[in-house]
Structure formats: C-alpha cells, structure tokens
Amino acid sequence: MSADLHFYFDPVCPFAWMTSKWVRMVAAQRDYQVDWRFISLRILNAHIDYDAHFPPEYEAGHTAGLRLLRVAAKVRAAHGREAVGPLYEAIGTRIFDTSRAVDPLSGADQGGRHVLEPLLESVGLPVGLADALDDTSLDDEIRAETEEALALTGRDVGTPILHFQPPSGTAFFGPVISRLPSEDDAGVLWDHVIGLASFPGFAELKRSLRERPQLASFGVDTQAAGKEEDWHGGSRRTKK
C-alpha cells in the first residue's frame, strides 16, 4: 500500500483518536492515503511500574488497547491494510464518542468481546475475528511495529506517531490536539504541520498542559473548551 502518511495508533489513546479524526477530514479533502499502523502503549510501558507511575485505570486501559490491536493485526492479515482504518474508526467512535454511561470497550472490561463483535459486523468483518483478543501470538507483530514507530522518533514519546511522506519523510509524536478543527480550518492547520514536517531540522514542540479532550467519553460538552490539565508523565492533574 502506497501511502502519504503512516499513522501509528493505540485504539485506547484519546489524543490519537482526536488527531485521527482531524487526519480523516484532511484525507477526505485532499485525497490523502493513510496507512493505519500499530503502536501499543502497554508494550511501550512494559518496563514501568503502573501502580507507581499511572492513575489506577491505566493498566487495564492499556491492556485493552493491546487486545484490540491483536484484532486489528488479525484483520490486516486476513482482509488487507485497507480494512484497519474502518475498524479503528468504529472502535474509536464507540470508546470516545459515546458516553461512558454506556458500557465501555476499554477499562476494566479490557476489550469486551460483546461490544467488539457488533463493531466488526458494522464494518463488514466476520465477528469470529474477536477471537484474536486473546491471541498472544500476534504480540510479536505489534511489538515490532511499536519499535518501528519509536525508531522514527526516539523512545520518549507517546501516541500518535505520524510519519509524513514515508519512507524518507519526517516523523514525530503528535500533533496532539484537544479540539477538532472545523472543516474549513482543518486544512489550514494541517498545512502548518506539514510546514514543520518538511524541515529536516525540526525536532520538537511540547507542552504538558492540555484541555480535556472534547470527547463524549470524558463527560464534557463537545462544543465547549475542556478544563485545562497537566498530562505530564502520563498522569493528568487539573490546573488550579
């Protein structure tokens, strides 16, 4: 698959999901080809003591992400790379654009099969692919793709990782956004990102203060700015 952009995602990362929605808008406007690839936060943080470094729900959530990536890997092997994007879109919509008052797909349920099967069916895939949730033989492939992403950026990053004009173009963590731009603004904002990516010497822009993402799963008004929080070190703390 020849692509204009490689997008490395973990399906339980809210910021990867928000960026993916923006990327889909731009891709539709400009006929971009996106190859949706895997990076696992659970594998990325395998060496970290979750109890000491993360809020209580993170280990279960990251484990759910790995289980869902197993299904995505199985889908890619059986139905081709083009099948990954629609599945990610269905999963992300279910996790993040649905109130958590509704049975979630991540968290303590760790990738609920009873929720995943209808999503597979909704994108025209066999529900039996949900068997891959517990297929650890797929972890080596996901681990290798995680390492591929980190080789492009260095290891002190999160998700998403975007690789522009692969294989020779620039890759970096982000861009991370908390609000989805309008249809009119999406391309303009993207052009600024491309401007940075086109300069080989670009290294980093970063701030840990972020608005809570405008996603229904965060219990916020999706039309209003979220409360500003400090996401340093994987934890978030509300700014006083």
Side-chain angles (χ1 to χ4, degrees):
M1 176 181 181
S2 177
D4 302 292
L5 180 73
H6 290 171
F7 190 114
Y8 294 84
F9 71 94
D10 187 303
V12 300
C13 175
F15 292 106
W17 173 244
M18 186 67 85
T19 301
S20 78
K21 294 172 72 171
W22 174 27
V23 164
R24 290 178 195 277
M25 293 168 67
V26 175
Q29 292 173 1
R30 302 190 175 181
D31 197 27
Y32 271 21
Q33 295 297 312
V34 182
D35 187 11
W36 302 95
R37 299 191 172 203
F38 312 142
I39 178 170
S40 167
L41 289 168
R42 189 66 186 85
I43 289 173
L44 184 64
N45 294 304
H47 63 291
I48 291 177
D49 180 346
Y50 268 82
D51 290 339
H53 289 86
F54 293 113
E57 71 275 12
Y58 270 45
E59 184 169 13
H62 288 181
T63 300
L66 174 57
R67 298 181 78 227
L68 292 166
L69 284 175
R70 291 170 185 160
V71 177
K74 191 71 172 181
V75 165
R76 186 168 68 183
H79 297 275
R81 308 189 77 89
E82 295 81 3
V84 175
L87 178 61
Y88 176 34
E89 186 172 20
I91 291 172
T93 299
R94 183 64 179 79
I95 294 176
F96 297 114
D97 292 340
T98 305
S99 168
R100 287 192 178 168
V102 178
D103 186 21
L105 189 58
S106 61
D109 189 36
Q110 296 193 14
R113 182 184 183 117
H114 65 291
V115 182
L116 180 60
E117 287 181 345
L119 298 180
L120 288 164
E121 190 172 27
S122 74
V123 294
L125 294 170
V127 297
L129 288 164
D131 291 343
L133 284 166
D134 299 309
D135 187 352
T136 58
S137 70
L138 296 162
D139 289 1
D140 285 346
E141 178 183 352
I142 297 165
R143 184 175 294 105
E145 205 144 290
T146 298
E147 290 298 322
E148 174 185 293
L150 297 177
L152 294 167
T153 61
R155 305 194 71 86
D156 187 22
V157 295
T159 57
I161 288 174
L162 273 60
H163 188 187
F164 299 84
Q165 296 298 322
S168 58
T170 302
F172 50 74
F173 162 50
V176 173
I177 58 172
S178 296
R179 310 181 206 175
L180 191 64
S182 69
E183 292 280 351
D184 290 340
D185 290 340
V188 175
L189 186 60
W190 188 253
D191 286 338
H192 293 306
V193 174
I194 293 296
L196 290 173
S198 65
F199 176 56
F202 173 70
E204 181 180 37
L205 284 173
K206 187 173 182 178
R207 68 195 301 263
S208 61
L209 286 176
R210 306 176 188 175
E211 293 173 0
R212 184 170 293 190
Q214 287 183 325
L215 298 169
S217 62
F218 279 76
V220 302
D221 178 355
T222 57
Q223 301 303 312
K227 185 178 296 184
E228 195 168 68
E229 300 168 317
D230 190 342
W231 288 68
H232 175 70
S235 302
R236 62 178 183 269
R237 296 181 292 278
T238 301
K239 185 180 178 184
K240 302 289 187 179

